[in-house]
């Protein structure tokens, strides 16, 4: 419209003389007031205005619109005389039911989350709401909210008294008499109460205290008691004979020392005492003329049946022995393959060595180390 006015004025200027006469007509056109009706919140108000557009009229008359208010026609509409303008304010009516308590309010908020924030309703993780927080508010909407809340209550309850019955012979048999009436005590309990949706969900006992002790009811009951005869005590003097002590010498037997006898082994009908018994892995060997070590031993003695090779760390060289199924022997030789629990027995022929093979034999360390093994063996 402003552009139309500018073009119209320009045309008047170009028209020369006629422009002066028409200028008055232009001024009258611009200043001519319009009568319009505003309908806002069901209230009708008439205005006279010289504004050209609706938004200019609202600004000039301090009529404010919120972001969610609706107006018809649109703000860029050119005003006309007799025009009706309707404003629908965003002010929906909402019913909020919080933990069973209902309240109806009008709000200018647009979304449910904004409404809860305005009403200072804070939802926790386990709370429940029947609409989405990002849902747009509608007129007549019902919002139901159930929240968890906790509180404490103090409960005082009576503590029953006990009844004590005392038997007595001061009353006739079977007759009872109340000595003192009982009195209840008082117990105080602190209880934590969990509510959900305004209703009790759970009660948790926190503490219990007896603030007043109960007093028992005491009853005396008569019983019949038979008299008990107690004889007079009789003094009796007792004479106790205590014999004179008699001295009796004690004879302690001390056995005479005995000779320690060692176990024996028999060879050729004669017993030989031994001090130690070993179980060893026995092998056999022999020397033949032409052998590198023929008739040579670690002890320097010649080889003969009765000569055995040992590990000198287990059995020292020169030790006299008895070998099971072999006889009296002497540890007179060593060998590279002989280790700790091994023993190698000398035989005269390879066939004897082959027949002997490898066996486990008991080996006895003889007590008498002065035995001449070579003489006994006839070597």
């Amino acid at each position: 419209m402003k552009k139309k006015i500018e073009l119209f004025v320009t045309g008047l200027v170009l028209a020369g003389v006629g422009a002066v006469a028409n200028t008055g007509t232009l001024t009258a056109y611009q200043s001519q007031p319009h009568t319009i009706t505003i309908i806002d919140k069901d209230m009708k108000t008439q205005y006279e205005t010289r504004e050209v557009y609706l938004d200019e009229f609202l600004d000039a008359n301090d009529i404010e619109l919120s972001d969610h208010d609706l107006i018809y026609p649109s703000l860029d509409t050119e005003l006309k005389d007799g025009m009706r303008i309707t404003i629908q304010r965003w002010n929906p009516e909402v019913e909020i039911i919080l933990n069973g308590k209902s309240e109806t309010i009008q709000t200018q908020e647009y979304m449910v989350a904004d409404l809860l924030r305005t009403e200072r309703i804070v939802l926790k993780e386990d709370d429940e709401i029947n609409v989405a927080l990002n849902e747009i508010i509608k007129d007549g909407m019902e919002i139901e909210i159930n929240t968890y809340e906790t509180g404490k209550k103090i409960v005082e309850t009576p503590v029953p008294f006990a009844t004590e019955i005392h038997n007595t012979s001061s009353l006739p048999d079977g007759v009872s008499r109340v000595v003192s009436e009982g009195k209840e005590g008082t117990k105080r309990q602190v209880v934590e109460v969990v509510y959900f949706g305004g209703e009790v969900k759970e009660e948790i006992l926190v503490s219990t205290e007896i603030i007043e002790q109960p007093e028992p009811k005491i009853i005396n009951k008569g019983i019949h008691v038979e008299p008990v005869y107690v004889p007079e005590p009789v003094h009796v003097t007792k004479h106790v004979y205590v014999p004179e002590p008699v001295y009796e010498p004690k004879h302690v037997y001390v056995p005479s020392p005995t000779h320690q006898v060692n176990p024996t082994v028999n060879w050729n009908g004669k017993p030989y005492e031994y001090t130690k018994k070993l179980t060893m892995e026995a092998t056999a060997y022999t020397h033949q003329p032409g052998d590198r070590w023929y008739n040579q031993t670690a002890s320097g003695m010649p080889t003969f049946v009765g000569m055995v090779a040992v590990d000198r760390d287990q059995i020292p060289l020169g030790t006299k022995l008895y070998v099971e199924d072999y006889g009296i022997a002497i540890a007179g030789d060593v060998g590279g393959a002989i280790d700790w629990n091994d023993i190698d027995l000398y035989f005269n022929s390879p066939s004897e060595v082959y027949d002997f093979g490898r066996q486990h034999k008991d080996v006895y360390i003889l007590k008498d180390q002065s035995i001449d093994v070579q003489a006994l063996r006839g070597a």
Side-chain angles (χ1 to χ4, degrees), residues 79-110:
L79 297 177
K80 296 179 181 179
D81 191 53
M83 179 177 284
R84 292 166 63 91
I85 299 169
T86 302
I87 299 175
Q88 292 182 355
R89 296 290 181 178
W90 179 260
N91 195 26
E93 189 174 85
V94 179
E95 181 183 6
I96 298 177
I97 305 172
L98 178 59
N99 294 327
K101 296 181 180 180
S102 176
E103 181 182 6
T104 301
I105 63 171
Q106 287 185 315
T107 180
Q108 292 184 342
E109 301 298 341
Y110 188 63

mmCIF file of all heavy atoms in Angstrom, residues 79-110:
data_model
loop_
_atom_site.group_PDB
_atom_site.id
_atom_site.type_symbol
_atom_site.label_atom_id
_atom_site.label_comp_id
_atom_site.label_asym_id
_atom_site.label_seq_id
_atom_site.Cartn_x
_atom_site.Cartn_y
_atom_site.Cartn_z
ATOM 1 N N LEU A 79 -5.673 -3.094 6.638
ATOM 2 C CA LEU A 79 -6.898 -2.823 7.381
ATOM 3 C C LEU A 79 -7.962 -2.197 6.475
ATOM 4 O O LEU A 79 -7.662 -1.394 5.593
ATOM 5 C CB LEU A 79 -6.607 -1.892 8.561
ATOM 6 C CG LEU A 79 -5.658 -2.449 9.637
ATOM 7 C CD1 LEU A 79 -5.410 -1.396 10.708
ATOM 8 C CD2 LEU A 79 -6.228 -3.710 10.250
ATOM 9 N N LYS A 80 -9.202 -2.574 6.782
ATOM 10 C CA LYS A 80 -10.345 -2.008 6.061
ATOM 11 C C LYS A 80 -11.404 -1.609 7.071
ATOM 12 O O LYS A 80 -11.500 -2.207 8.148
ATOM 13 C CB LYS A 80 -10.915 -3.027 5.074
ATOM 14 C CG LYS A 80 -9.946 -3.408 3.966
ATOM 15 C CD LYS A 80 -10.564 -4.432 3.029
ATOM 16 C CE LYS A 80 -9.588 -4.830 1.930
ATOM 17 N NZ LYS A 80 -10.170 -5.842 1.010
ATOM 18 N N ASP A 81 -12.193 -0.662 6.715
ATOM 19 C CA ASP A 81 -13.233 -0.185 7.613
ATOM 20 C C ASP A 81 -14.250 -1.298 7.864
ATOM 21 O O ASP A 81 -14.674 -1.997 6.936
ATOM 22 C CB ASP A 81 -13.933 1.045 7.005
ATOM 23 C CG ASP A 81 -14.838 1.729 8.016
ATOM 24 O OD1 ASP A 81 -14.335 2.045 9.117
ATOM 25 O OD2 ASP A 81 -16.029 1.894 7.717
ATOM 26 N N GLY A 82 -14.595 -1.490 9.151
ATOM 27 C CA GLY A 82 -15.558 -2.523 9.522
ATOM 28 C C GLY A 82 -14.953 -3.909 9.673
ATOM 29 O O GLY A 82 -15.686 -4.885 9.880
ATOM 30 N N MET A 83 -13.637 -4.021 9.601
ATOM 31 C CA MET A 83 -12.969 -5.339 9.684
ATOM 32 C C MET A 83 -13.075 -5.904 11.110
ATOM 33 O O MET A 83 -12.987 -5.168 12.090
ATOM 34 C CB MET A 83 -11.506 -5.210 9.275
ATOM 35 C CG MET A 83 -10.723 -6.523 9.359
ATOM 36 S SD MET A 83 -9.026 -6.311 8.773
ATOM 37 C CE MET A 83 -9.305 -6.248 7.014
ATOM 38 N N ARG A 84 -13.287 -7.243 11.202
ATOM 39 C CA ARG A 84 -13.316 -7.954 12.492
ATOM 40 C C ARG A 84 -12.026 -8.782 12.615
ATOM 41 O O ARG A 84 -11.701 -9.579 11.731
ATOM 42 C CB ARG A 84 -14.530 -8.876 12.582
ATOM 43 C CG ARG A 84 -15.859 -8.116 12.653
ATOM 44 C CD ARG A 84 -17.028 -9.057 12.398
ATOM 45 N NE ARG A 84 -17.111 -10.090 13.419
ATOM 46 C CZ ARG A 84 -17.828 -9.982 14.537
ATOM 47 N NH1 ARG A 84 -18.512 -8.866 14.781
ATOM 48 N NH2 ARG A 84 -17.882 -10.962 15.416
ATOM 49 N N ILE A 85 -11.328 -8.587 13.698
ATOM 50 C CA ILE A 85 -10.055 -9.290 13.940
ATOM 51 C C ILE A 85 -10.234 -10.162 15.185
ATOM 52 O O ILE A 85 -10.610 -9.658 16.252
ATOM 53 C CB ILE A 85 -8.908 -8.290 14.140
ATOM 54 C CG1 ILE A 85 -8.754 -7.438 12.866
ATOM 55 C CG2 ILE A 85 -7.613 -9.017 14.487
ATOM 56 C CD1 ILE A 85 -7.854 -6.257 13.044
ATOM 57 N N THR A 86 -9.948 -11.459 15.034
ATOM 58 C CA THR A 86 -10.137 -12.419 16.135
ATOM 59 C C THR A 86 -8.770 -12.907 16.650
ATOM 60 O O THR A 86 -7.922 -13.339 15.861
ATOM 61 C CB THR A 86 -10.957 -13.637 15.676
ATOM 62 O OG1 THR A 86 -12.222 -13.161 15.191
ATOM 63 C CG2 THR A 86 -11.172 -14.611 16.826
ATOM 64 N N ILE A 87 -8.585 -12.825 17.966
ATOM 65 C CA ILE A 87 -7.356 -13.326 18.615
ATOM 66 C C ILE A 87 -7.731 -14.511 19.498
ATOM 67 O O ILE A 87 -8.592 -14.390 20.380
ATOM 68 C CB ILE A 87 -6.678 -12.233 19.465
ATOM 69 C CG1 ILE A 87 -6.276 -11.040 18.590
ATOM 70 C CG2 ILE A 87 -5.463 -12.804 20.192
ATOM 71 C CD1 ILE A 87 -5.708 -9.873 19.374
ATOM 72 N N GLN A 88 -7.108 -15.647 19.210
ATOM 73 C CA GLN A 88 -7.288 -16.833 20.058
ATOM 74 C C GLN A 88 -6.036 -16.994 20.925
ATOM 75 O O GLN A 88 -4.959 -17.343 20.439
ATOM 76 C CB GLN A 88 -7.508 -18.087 19.201
ATOM 77 C CG GLN A 88 -8.823 -18.079 18.450
ATOM 78 C CD GLN A 88 -9.031 -19.357 17.658
ATOM 79 O OE1 GLN A 88 -8.157 -20.209 17.604
ATOM 80 N NE2 GLN A 88 -10.198 -19.475 17.039
ATOM 81 N N ARG A 89 -6.215 -16.672 22.171
ATOM 82 C CA ARG A 89 -5.079 -16.748 23.087
ATOM 83 C C ARG A 89 -4.755 -18.214 23.418
ATOM 84 O O ARG A 89 -5.647 -19.037 23.583
ATOM 85 C CB ARG A 89 -5.402 -16.001 24.385
ATOM 86 C CG ARG A 89 -5.626 -14.517 24.209
ATOM 87 C CD ARG A 89 -4.335 -13.809 23.874
ATOM 88 N NE ARG A 89 -4.527 -12.363 23.728
ATOM 89 C CZ ARG A 89 -3.536 -11.518 23.470
ATOM 90 N NH1 ARG A 89 -2.303 -11.988 23.321
ATOM 91 N NH2 ARG A 89 -3.779 -10.228 23.342
ATOM 92 N N TRP A 90 -3.418 -18.505 23.504
ATOM 93 C CA TRP A 90 -2.978 -19.855 23.910
ATOM 94 C C TRP A 90 -3.068 -19.940 25.427
ATOM 95 O O TRP A 90 -2.197 -19.520 26.161
ATOM 96 C CB TRP A 90 -1.541 -20.115 23.449
ATOM 97 C CG TRP A 90 -1.047 -21.479 23.854
ATOM 98 C CD1 TRP A 90 -0.257 -21.775 24.901
ATOM 99 C CD2 TRP A 90 -1.354 -22.710 23.229
ATOM 100 N NE1 TRP A 90 -0.025 -23.122 24.983
ATOM 101 C CE2 TRP A 90 -0.702 -23.726 23.945
ATOM 102 C CE3 TRP A 90 -2.124 -23.066 22.119
ATOM 103 C CZ2 TRP A 90 -0.784 -25.067 23.605
ATOM 104 C CZ3 TRP A 90 -2.197 -24.401 21.773
ATOM 105 C CH2 TRP A 90 -1.536 -25.389 22.510
ATOM 106 N N ASN A 91 -4.163 -20.487 25.886
ATOM 107 C CA ASN A 91 -4.403 -20.570 27.323
ATOM 108 C C ASN A 91 -5.269 -21.795 27.605
ATOM 109 O O ASN A 91 -6.366 -21.689 28.147
ATOM 110 C CB ASN A 91 -5.094 -19.287 27.804
ATOM 111 C CG ASN A 91 -5.035 -19.146 29.311
ATOM 112 O OD1 ASN A 91 -4.146 -19.679 29.948
ATOM 113 N ND2 ASN A 91 -6.003 -18.437 29.871
ATOM 114 N N PRO A 92 -4.756 -23.007 27.226
ATOM 115 C CA PRO A 92 -5.584 -24.209 27.363
ATOM 116 C C PRO A 92 -5.837 -24.553 28.830
ATOM 117 O O PRO A 92 -5.044 -24.232 29.715
ATOM 118 C CB PRO A 92 -4.748 -25.293 26.680
ATOM 119 C CG PRO A 92 -3.343 -24.814 26.793
ATOM 120 C CD PRO A 92 -3.418 -23.329 26.690
ATOM 121 N N GLU A 93 -6.951 -25.222 29.042
ATOM 122 C CA GLU A 93 -7.313 -25.681 30.381
ATOM 123 C C GLU A 93 -6.858 -27.137 30.526
ATOM 124 O O GLU A 93 -7.188 -27.978 29.696
ATOM 125 C CB GLU A 93 -8.818 -25.563 30.579
ATOM 126 C CG GLU A 93 -9.260 -25.822 32.015
ATOM 127 C CD GLU A 93 -10.742 -25.554 32.188
ATOM 128 O OE1 GLU A 93 -11.532 -26.477 31.899
ATOM 129 O OE2 GLU A 93 -11.100 -24.435 32.590
ATOM 130 N N VAL A 94 -6.103 -27.402 31.584
ATOM 131 C CA VAL A 94 -5.503 -28.720 31.787
ATOM 132 C C VAL A 94 -5.839 -29.201 33.192
ATOM 133 O O VAL A 94 -5.783 -28.426 34.156
ATOM 134 C CB VAL A 94 -3.970 -28.671 31.599
ATOM 135 C CG1 VAL A 94 -3.352 -30.043 31.843
ATOM 136 C CG2 VAL A 94 -3.616 -28.171 30.209
ATOM 137 N N GLU A 95 -6.172 -30.493 33.303
ATOM 138 C CA GLU A 95 -6.395 -31.103 34.620
ATOM 139 C C GLU A 95 -5.152 -31.915 34.994
ATOM 140 O O GLU A 95 -4.752 -32.829 34.271
ATOM 141 C CB GLU A 95 -7.618 -32.017 34.604
ATOM 142 C CG GLU A 95 -7.894 -32.642 35.973
ATOM 143 C CD GLU A 95 -9.067 -33.610 35.962
ATOM 144 O OE1 GLU A 95 -9.594 -33.889 34.858
ATOM 145 O OE2 GLU A 95 -9.445 -34.098 37.044
ATOM 146 N N ILE A 96 -4.552 -31.550 36.108
ATOM 147 C CA ILE A 96 -3.382 -32.273 36.613
ATOM 148 C C ILE A 96 -3.827 -33.102 37.814
ATOM 149 O O ILE A 96 -4.337 -32.560 38.802
ATOM 150 C CB ILE A 96 -2.250 -31.313 37.018
ATOM 151 C CG1 ILE A 96 -1.771 -30.512 35.803
ATOM 152 C CG2 ILE A 96 -1.086 -32.089 37.626
ATOM 153 C CD1 ILE A 96 -0.699 -29.498 36.128
ATOM 154 N N ILE A 97 -3.625 -34.431 37.708
ATOM 155 C CA ILE A 97 -3.948 -35.338 38.817
ATOM 156 C C ILE A 97 -2.620 -35.832 39.379
ATOM 157 O O ILE A 97 -1.959 -36.689 38.791
ATOM 158 C CB ILE A 97 -4.814 -36.520 38.337
ATOM 159 C CG1 ILE A 97 -6.066 -36.006 37.625
ATOM 160 C CG2 ILE A 97 -5.187 -37.418 39.512
ATOM 161 C CD1 ILE A 97 -6.873 -37.095 36.950
ATOM 162 N N LEU A 98 -2.210 -35.250 40.497
ATOM 163 C CA LEU A 98 -0.924 -35.575 41.109
ATOM 164 C C LEU A 98 -1.166 -36.411 42.355
ATOM 165 O O LEU A 98 -1.729 -35.928 43.339
ATOM 166 C CB LEU A 98 -0.162 -34.293 41.456
ATOM 167 C CG LEU A 98 1.192 -34.472 42.148
ATOM 168 C CD1 LEU A 98 2.152 -35.285 41.290
ATOM 169 C CD2 LEU A 98 1.804 -33.115 42.498
ATOM 170 N N ASN A 99 -0.748 -37.693 42.267
ATOM 171 C CA ASN A 99 -0.899 -38.625 43.391
ATOM 172 C C ASN A 99 -2.337 -38.654 43.905
ATOM 173 O O ASN A 99 -2.606 -38.626 45.113
ATOM 174 C CB ASN A 99 0.067 -38.273 44.525
ATOM 175 C CG ASN A 99 1.515 -38.467 44.121
ATOM 176 O OD1 ASN A 99 1.834 -39.360 43.335
ATOM 177 N ND2 ASN A 99 2.395 -37.633 44.641
ATOM 178 N N GLY A 100 -3.282 -38.694 42.948
ATOM 179 C CA GLY A 100 -4.693 -38.819 43.294
ATOM 180 C C GLY A 100 -5.404 -37.512 43.567
ATOM 181 O O GLY A 100 -6.630 -37.497 43.696
ATOM 182 N N LYS A 101 -4.673 -36.397 43.646
ATOM 183 C CA LYS A 101 -5.288 -35.094 43.900
ATOM 184 C C LYS A 101 -5.392 -34.328 42.585
ATOM 185 O O LYS A 101 -4.392 -34.146 41.890
ATOM 186 C CB LYS A 101 -4.475 -34.305 44.919
ATOM 187 C CG LYS A 101 -4.434 -34.965 46.297
ATOM 188 C CD LYS A 101 -3.628 -34.134 47.280
ATOM 189 C CE LYS A 101 -3.596 -34.793 48.660
ATOM 190 N NZ LYS A 101 -2.807 -33.992 49.627
ATOM 191 N N SER A 102 -6.605 -33.873 42.277
ATOM 192 C CA SER A 102 -6.870 -33.237 40.981
ATOM 193 C C SER A 102 -6.905 -31.717 41.122
ATOM 194 O O SER A 102 -7.407 -31.173 42.114
ATOM 195 C CB SER A 102 -8.204 -33.738 40.416
ATOM 196 O OG SER A 102 -8.519 -33.062 39.219
ATOM 197 N N GLU A 103 -6.345 -31.046 40.094
ATOM 198 C CA GLU A 103 -6.379 -29.583 40.037
ATOM 199 C C GLU A 103 -6.477 -29.165 38.571
ATOM 200 O O GLU A 103 -5.729 -29.665 37.727
ATOM 201 C CB GLU A 103 -5.120 -28.992 40.670
ATOM 202 C CG GLU A 103 -5.112 -27.476 40.670
ATOM 203 C CD GLU A 103 -3.834 -26.899 41.258
ATOM 204 O OE1 GLU A 103 -2.916 -27.695 41.567
ATOM 205 O OE2 GLU A 103 -3.755 -25.669 41.394
ATOM 206 N N THR A 104 -7.405 -28.267 38.283
ATOM 207 C CA THR A 104 -7.587 -27.770 36.920
ATOM 208 C C THR A 104 -6.979 -26.377 36.824
ATOM 209 O O THR A 104 -7.293 -25.494 37.630
ATOM 210 C CB THR A 104 -9.073 -27.727 36.543
ATOM 211 O OG1 THR A 104 -9.616 -29.054 36.645
ATOM 212 C CG2 THR A 104 -9.253 -27.235 35.118
ATOM 213 N N ILE A 105 -6.096 -26.201 35.828
ATOM 214 C CA ILE A 105 -5.415 -24.917 35.665
ATOM 215 C C ILE A 105 -5.467 -24.509 34.203
ATOM 216 O O ILE A 105 -5.747 -25.321 33.319
ATOM 217 C CB ILE A 105 -3.943 -25.000 36.128
ATOM 218 C CG1 ILE A 105 -3.174 -26.007 35.251
ATOM 219 C CG2 ILE A 105 -3.839 -25.371 37.596
ATOM 220 C CD1 ILE A 105 -1.692 -25.998 35.502
ATOM 221 N N GLN A 106 -5.221 -23.230 33.972
ATOM 222 C CA GLN A 106 -5.024 -22.719 32.622
ATOM 223 C C GLN A 106 -3.568 -22.309 32.488
ATOM 224 O O GLN A 106 -2.990 -21.743 33.416
ATOM 225 C CB GLN A 106 -5.949 -21.530 32.350
ATOM 226 C CG GLN A 106 -7.408 -21.941 32.173
ATOM 227 C CD GLN A 106 -8.290 -20.781 31.793
ATOM 228 O OE1 GLN A 106 -8.188 -19.718 32.377
ATOM 229 N NE2 GLN A 106 -9.161 -20.993 30.811
ATOM 230 N N THR A 107 -2.995 -22.618 31.359
ATOM 231 C CA THR A 107 -1.567 -22.392 31.198
ATOM 232 C C THR A 107 -1.276 -21.774 29.846
ATOM 233 O O THR A 107 -2.051 -21.936 28.890
ATOM 234 C CB THR A 107 -0.795 -23.717 31.337
ATOM 235 O OG1 THR A 107 0.600 -23.464 31.181
ATOM 236 C CG2 THR A 107 -1.236 -24.730 30.285
ATOM 237 N N GLN A 108 -0.188 -21.065 29.786
ATOM 238 C CA GLN A 108 0.298 -20.530 28.518
ATOM 239 C C GLN A 108 1.484 -21.332 28.001
ATOM 240 O O GLN A 108 2.075 -20.979 26.981
ATOM 241 C CB GLN A 108 0.691 -19.056 28.690
ATOM 242 C CG GLN A 108 -0.490 -18.145 28.960
ATOM 243 C CD GLN A 108 -0.088 -16.681 29.017
ATOM 244 O OE1 GLN A 108 1.081 -16.358 29.183
ATOM 245 N NE2 GLN A 108 -1.072 -15.803 28.871
ATOM 246 N N GLU A 109 1.829 -22.416 28.731
ATOM 247 C CA GLU A 109 2.927 -23.262 28.277
ATOM 248 C C GLU A 109 2.472 -24.101 27.092
ATOM 249 O O GLU A 109 1.277 -24.395 26.931
ATOM 250 C CB GLU A 109 3.419 -24.161 29.410
ATOM 251 C CG GLU A 109 3.907 -23.412 30.633
ATOM 252 C CD GLU A 109 5.104 -22.526 30.331
ATOM 253 O OE1 GLU A 109 5.770 -22.746 29.303
ATOM 254 O OE2 GLU A 109 5.374 -21.608 31.123
ATOM 255 N N TYR A 110 3.449 -24.508 26.282
ATOM 256 C CA TYR A 110 3.136 -25.172 25.027
ATOM 257 C C TYR A 110 3.308 -26.693 25.109
ATOM 258 O O TYR A 110 2.572 -27.443 24.492
ATOM 259 C CB TYR A 110 4.038 -24.607 23.929
ATOM 260 C CG TYR A 110 3.682 -25.065 22.535
ATOM 261 C CD1 TYR A 110 2.452 -24.734 21.966
ATOM 262 C CD2 TYR A 110 4.573 -25.820 21.786
ATOM 263 C CE1 TYR A 110 2.119 -25.149 20.688
ATOM 264 C CE2 TYR A 110 4.256 -26.238 20.499
ATOM 265 C CZ TYR A 110 3.025 -25.899 19.952
ATOM 266 O OH TYR A 110 2.698 -26.314 18.694
#
